[in-house]
Amino acid sequence: MTSQDTAVELTAETQTALERAEASHRHEALFSERAHNIKQSAVRDVFDISIRPGLVSLAGGSPSLSALPLDLVAETASRVITEHGMAALHYGGGKGTEELRTLICEIMAEEGIVGASPDDVVVTTGSQSAQDIAAKVFCNPGDVVLVEDPTYVGALNTFEAYQVQVAPIEMDAEGLVPEKLERRIAELEAEGKTIKLLYTIPSFNNPSGITLAAERRQRVVDICREHNILVLEDNPYGMLRFDGHPITPLRADNPDDVIYCGSFSKIFSPGVRLGWALVPKHLYRRFYLAAEAVVLCPSMLTQLLVTEFFHAFDWRGYLAQSRAVYAERCAAMLEALREHFPAEAEWTTPDGGFFVWVTLPEGIDTYPLLYQAIDAGVVFIPGAAFTPYDGPSNKLRLAFSGVAPEQIREGVRRLAPVIKAAVETTA
């Protein structure tokens, strides 16, 4: 039989698969070094699983939109198209509209950042875009970015894509420990490393729910300033402190040393894909130009929708409602954990935000437990997703934000036997 005869016998599907494999082999050499550091988010993997019918998802940190007045949102969207259609459906400025940047300054003032100028705000496609821009503007391959341990998986993926070394700093119940931060910086400098950024989620850290104590905040910035390290403050949950009294952000008293990242995802809607960065004046131009080079301009349609909606709506009252919803859901989760989880398990008690961080005894790897949990009808995020360290983790993240209290209790009840069996195995 000739090679030509063999080729004729191949099905069309097989032939197509072979052609794609050959193209894949050729193009593999074209990938940049950076591309090899881009990873699929573990949270995204689990999120795709969690939408299966019948599963209780304690995985995704989704905001509750149940109290959002959709009729007013629809009315606002209609008005934006009717009255501003030509502008809403066209290109806009790269830094965002002045009206939205002014609104953003009003929102930040509620948290304690008083006197910020709209001229120092860059509107971004969600706050993660601001993290990407910061890494691009400030970091060379091999530079160091300090992070809390644990920290947001999306930030880890962003930093690693830029070929930086991510150096985790251990936290305690009150957040970053200044003495440990100083010690880690000294170790890295002794190794000849260049440290560019400290990335921190000071209020209700994702994934741990831990808040950096007010009395530690200025010391953390001072340490970084002494070593010429820029602070990248990511604060999407700051307005969601259950008692309604947010802790003043690091940026408030340090306008020259902190880039502040905020987001409408948690206080309005993730679907509008709008965030912002409040940038020190002397860093603004390069940061803004880097942002413009990626997205050209943020969506005019969503900018006008958010601006008009916030002007027509009692957003402060809505946030108060949202805080009450999250406080109730957090309480339901903590109560269910106390009722159903084994005594060997420990967890954080957040004052706001979306997450509870569970620690199991040493020797337990929570990643294999995820598959057992799925079989039991519940989903969580394994702790290994939130640290740059390789290897197993005995921790897991539970999200209470997007799930009603009765579902939270049911999810914890389903998960408890999986956790108990793992604890008994290691006892």
Side-chain angles (χ1 to χ4, degrees):
M1 182 179 293
T2 67
S3 59
Q4 184 175 2
D5 293 333
T6 304
V8 170
E9 291 178 5
L10 295 176
T11 65
E13 292 82 1
T14 302
Q15 190 66 37
T16 299
L18 287 172
E19 289 171 358
R20 287 178 178 167
E22 193 273 335
S24 173
H25 178 72
R26 285 188 291 109
H27 295 156
E28 182 71 22
L30 302 182
F31 280 120
S32 67
E33 290 183 15
R34 180 180 297 118
H36 292 287
N37 289 336
I38 298 174
K39 302 174 183 176
Q40 171 75 10
S41 166
V43 174
R44 175 58 57 189
D45 289 339
V46 176
F47 180 80
D48 292 340
I49 295 170
S50 68
I51 61 176
R52 294 178 186 172
L55 285 179
V56 176
S57 177
L58 304 179
S62 302
S64 172
L65 304 182
S66 58
L68 195 65
L70 295 182
D71 54 346
L72 182 56
V73 176
E75 178 187 322
T76 305
S78 177
R79 186 171 66 254
V80 164
I81 296 296
T82 302
E83 299 179 5
H84 310 286
M86 293 302 292
L89 299 176
H90 222 300
Y91 293 115
K95 63 181 68 174
T97 68
E98 184 175 359
E99 293 79 10
L100 181 59
R101 288 182 284 116
T102 299
L103 170 64
I104 286 168
C105 290
E106 286 180 37
I107 292 171
M108 290 189 294
E110 292 288 311
E111 249 190 310
I113 301 176
V114 179
S117 170
D119 292 337
D120 298 333
V121 174
V122 177
V123 177
T124 61
T125 308
S127 64
Q128 187 162 340
S129 177
Q131 300 159 23
D132 186 276
I133 296 163
K136 178 182 297 181
V137 169
F138 296 105
C139 295
N140 295 313
D143 286 344
V144 176
V145 174
L146 305 170
V147 300
E148 294 150 335
D149 189 22
T151 194
Y152 172 47
V153 62
L156 288 175
N157 292 343
T158 295
F159 298 141
E160 289 170 355
Y162 283 98
Q163 300 169 280
V164 303
Q165 177 184 340
V166 178
I169 312 294
E170 186 181 350
M171 292 191 290
D172 63 16
E174 296 189 327
L176 273 176
V177 182
E179 294 76 16
K180 292 184 178 181
L181 175 62
E182 282 187 300
R183 187 158 54 247
R184 189 75 173 107
I185 291 172
E187 291 169 354
L188 290 164
E189 290 179 339
E191 296 171 10
K193 301 290 187 179
T194 300
I195 309 171
K196 292 291 184 68
L197 301 171
L198 166 65
Y199 171 74
T200 175
I201 311 169
S203 294
F204 324 119
N205 165 277
N206 177 4
S208 71
I210 292 172
T211 293
L212 178 60
E215 57 271 19
R216 290 185 181 180
R217 295 192 170 207
Q218 189 57 49
R219 181 61 186 138
V220 166
V221 178
D222 289 344
I223 291 169
C224 290
R225 184 189 295 115
E226 291 163 9
H227 295 269
N228 199 29
I229 299 168
L230 194 62
V231 177
L232 184 61
E233 179 179 18
D234 191 12
N235 199 34
Y237 313 100
M239 298 285 281
L240 300 178
R241 190 176 182 86
F242 298 148
D243 66 7
H245 300 290
I247 298 179
T248 305
L250 283 69
R251 166 57 178 75
D253 297 319
N254 301 280
D256 293 334
D257 298 289
V258 178
I259 296 176
Y260 178 93
C261 304
S263 176
F264 285 100
S265 293
K266 308 305 187 292
I267 62 174
F268 174 45
S269 160
V272 297
R273 303 312 307 133
L274 286 178
W276 68 88
L278 176 62
V279 185
K281 286 184 183 296
H282 60 286
L283 303 174
Y284 184 87
R285 180 169 174 76
R286 291 194 183 182
F287 192 97
Y288 154 62
L289 290 175
E292 190 178 55
V294 175
V295 298
L296 186 62
C297 63
S299 165
M300 283 294 294
L301 180 59
T302 54
Q303 286 186 85
L304 289 169
L305 171 62
V306 169
T307 303
E308 292 279 333
F309 182 79
F310 271 64
H311 285 161
F313 181 53
D314 177 15
W315 59 270
R316 294 174 179 84
Y318 175 69
L319 280 181
Q321 283 183 282
S322 297
R323 286 191 290 265
V325 167
Y326 297 136
E328 179 187 22
R329 293 179 177 186
C330 181
M333 177 167 282
L334 295 175
E335 179 184 2
L337 289 170
R338 287 191 295 267
E339 179 179 353
H340 296 293
F341 266 38
E344 293 85 352
E346 300 176 351
W347 51 83
T348 56
T349 304
D351 298 318
F354 286 6
F355 309 109
V356 171
W357 187 238
V358 178
T359 300
L360 303 181
E362 292 290 340
I364 295 177
D365 182 1
T366 58
Y367 203 93
L369 300 187
L370 170 62
Y371 300 97
Q372 299 174 35
I374 291 170
D375 290 340
V378 61
V379 189
F380 65 86
I381 304 290
F386 304 100
T387 177
Y389 292 125
D390 292 327
S393 170
N394 63 327
K395 303 175 189 300
L396 59 97
R397 189 190 79 177
L398 300 178
F400 54 79
S401 54
V403 191
E406 58 273 17
Q407 284 292 92
I408 290 171
R409 296 186 186 96
E410 175 61 17
V412 172
R413 187 192 66 77
R414 293 180 184 182
L415 181 57
V418 175
I419 302 301
K420 288 178 180 175
V423 169
E424 290 169 359
T425 301
T426 60

